[in-house]
Amino acid sequence: MTQPTVLLLTPMLPVTRAALDDRFDLVALADAEDKEARLAKVADRVRAIAMFADGRVDGALMNRLPKLEIVSVFGVGYDGVDAAEAARRGILVTNTPDVLTDEVADTAMALTIMTVRRLGAAERYLRAGQWTAKGPFPLTPGSLVGATMGILGLGRIGRAVAARASAFGLKIAYHGRSRQDVPYAYYDSPAALAEASDILMIATPGGAETRHLVDADVLKALGSRGYLVNIGRGSTVDETALAAALEAGTIAGAGLDVFAEEPQVPEALLGRDDVVLLPHVASASLPTRTAMGQLMVDNLSAWFESGRVLTPVPETPRP
């Protein structure tokens, strides 16, 4: 029996790529010196796309793949896929929720502590010999004790962050598209949530609906004692407004694991001790990334074996 042809659009973990190669006729576009030539050669037989979350699948690519049935994304975010267009064409889109929730929530709390207590700057102070030369590291203006964390986006990851933050003794508030049956205070706008929060945690998906959801007005509402932490999507924050708010002292600091144009990070953020910057590592442990890859592969296998998938995204049909 001929194996279905799967187009590997982006580089992938070796263990995940091996699993794809074992089950499918895998065409690795990322490896090709002449990507256009390789795509043209296989376009009429491609039935699936496998891709890391930073890949791009739009209507133009779908037009070139007449037999495309499914796009399986490695990651929770799938804003690189035009899911609405895929749905219009009857093409399924899947992602990899749940298996990374705990890892990302753990990183969110670590990033929060690093940001509020300026632990990155403290480590650099020690390594530079400043402890012995200048004495103790300056007292940090912020603390988690008695603080309120406002969570922007109370989905799977947002709820997991809330559980951890509650265990730390933080009060929890949230904003989302709708009120949920949870024991946390609800605010009807990002600005209202920011005004009520000491720490504003972003856990929203990306895409046009959330682009620059955190803008200058929201940062002003967060205030000079407030901290912004983003483990969602870089596009949610107006980075120009953020840099200006930090420079002016409008907010106290920021912790960012994601950026609008990765791997590019705004130059205005790089030299600041009131900002903690991570290179999009919230889910980046080998066990978690292996589990994510396996779920991506399992979605493809389930589709070709049974005509069903395990984790379809909401926009596309669920067989």
Side-chain angles (χ1 to χ4, degrees), residues 48-97:
I49 290 174
M51 56 177 270
F52 202 75
D54 60 357
R56 291 288 179 268
V57 176
D58 57 13
L61 181 57
M62 295 177 204
N63 284 338
R64 299 184 66 179
L65 306 174
K67 295 182 180 177
L68 183 64
E69 302 167 27
I70 180 172
V71 179
S72 191
V73 179
F74 182 115
V76 171
Y78 54 92
D79 39 300
V81 180
D82 188 339
E85 179 62 19
R88 190 184 71 78
R89 297 170 184 246
I91 298 168
L92 275 165
V93 179
T94 64
N95 63 344
T96 59

Side-chain angles (χ1 to χ4, degrees), residues 141-167:
S143 171
L144 268 66
V145 178
T148 295
M149 176 182 283
I151 300 177
L152 190 56
L154 200 68
R156 293 179 179 92
I157 292 171
R159 290 193 296 270
V161 173
R164 286 158 172 76
S166 295

Side-chain angles (χ1 to χ4, degrees), residues 188-209:
D188 62 5
S189 72
L193 177 65
E195 188 172 9
S197 302
D198 302 292
I199 302 156
L200 182 62
M201 172 68 65
I202 302 174
T204 61
E209 289 185 5

Side-chain angles (χ1 to χ4, degrees), residues 195-272:
E195 188 172 9
S197 302
D198 302 292
I199 302 156
L200 182 62
M201 172 68 65
I202 302 174
T204 61
E209 289 185 5
T210 61
R211 185 177 184 275
H212 289 186
L213 195 63
V214 175
D215 58 13
D217 290 338
V218 172
L219 295 169
K220 183 178 179 180
L222 183 58
S224 61
R225 296 184 180 180
Y227 297 86
L228 177 74
V229 181
N230 190 2
I231 48 86
R233 278 291 180 266
S235 58
T236 305
V237 176
D238 181 339
E239 292 177 340
T240 300
L242 174 60
L246 289 162
E247 183 64 26
T250 303
I251 66 171
L256 309 172
D257 182 51
V258 290
F259 305 90
E261 299 292 339
E262 296 178 359
Q264 304 304 317
V265 177
E267 188 69 30
L269 301 177
L270 290 173
R272 303 193 63 92

